[in-house]
């Protein structure tokens, strides 16, 4: 998956926006829904990585199945976030599933009225 494909996929979800909230590191892209982050990446970094929210048990399973490619979230709560290397070592389909799961976990924590506006009860 290329950086452009990752950005495009993150922005393809309902109400997803890209922000650059860190003045000292303006190249860091944060993708949010309802004001809450579901992905964080530096699109020009090599290797390309993305921090994604994950169910804690699933996070441990993924780290065990893909050592070195899926690791505890860098600068994040390591129980709930993974850093995923997006350099071709993982199938694009899996990366897309992980991004979508992250988005869904964040949406699930939004107020009900906001979830309904996103067509995700």
């Amino acid at each position: 998956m290329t950086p452009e494909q990752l950005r495009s996929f993150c922005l393809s979800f309902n109400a997803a926006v890209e922000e650059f909230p860190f003045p000292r590191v303006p190249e860091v892209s944060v993708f949010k829904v309802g004001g809450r982050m579901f992905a964080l990446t530096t699109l020009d970094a090599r290797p390309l990585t993305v921090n994604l929210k994950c169910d804690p048990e699933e996070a441990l399973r993924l780290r065990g199945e893909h050592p070195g490619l899926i690791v505890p979230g860098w600068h994040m709560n390591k129980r709930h976030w993974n850093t995923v290397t997006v350099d071709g070592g993982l199938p694009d389909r899996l990366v897309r599933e992980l991004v979508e799961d992250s988005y869904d976990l964040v949406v699930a924590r939004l107020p009900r009225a906001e979830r309904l506006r996103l067509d995700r009860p």
Side-chain angles (χ1 to χ4, degrees):
M1 179 176 287
T2 67
E4 295 76 23
Q5 289 170 325
L6 179 60
R7 171 184 273 142
S8 180
F9 188 66
C10 287
L11 291 173
S12 72
F13 296 102
N14 287 345
V17 296
E18 181 180 20
E19 296 181 0
F20 303 91
F22 307 112
R24 292 186 178 191
V25 281
E27 64 276 7
V28 174
S29 295
V30 175
F31 296 93
K32 294 182 175 183
V33 58
R36 296 184 182 191
M37 176 174 52
F38 69 92
L40 178 143
T41 186
T42 302
L43 292 167
D44 60 358
R46 297 298 172 260
L48 177 61
T49 62
V50 60
N51 285 1
L52 300 170
K53 193 164 184 74
C54 192
D55 172 78
E57 291 177 19
E58 181 74 1
L60 291 173
R61 185 186 67 75
L62 288 164
R63 293 171 196 165
E65 289 179 4
H66 307 283
L69 296 174
I70 300 178
V71 297
W74 186 70
H75 280 283
M76 307 295 277
N77 179 325
K78 312 248 182 282
R79 179 171 153 79
H80 295 277
W81 289 84
N82 280 335
T83 296
V84 178
T85 300
V86 187
D87 68 351
L90 295 171
D92 284 355
R93 180 182 59 61
L94 175 60
V95 174
R96 284 186 178 89
E97 288 173 7
L98 296 174
V99 172
E100 185 172 6
D101 288 349
S102 181
Y103 175 86
D104 288 343
L105 283 168
V106 172
V107 167
R109 303 280 306 192
L110 295 175
R112 185 173 186 271
E114 196 161 348
R115 288 194 317 268
L116 291 174
R117 278 194 299 274
L118 296 171
D119 293 329
R120 292 188 175 253

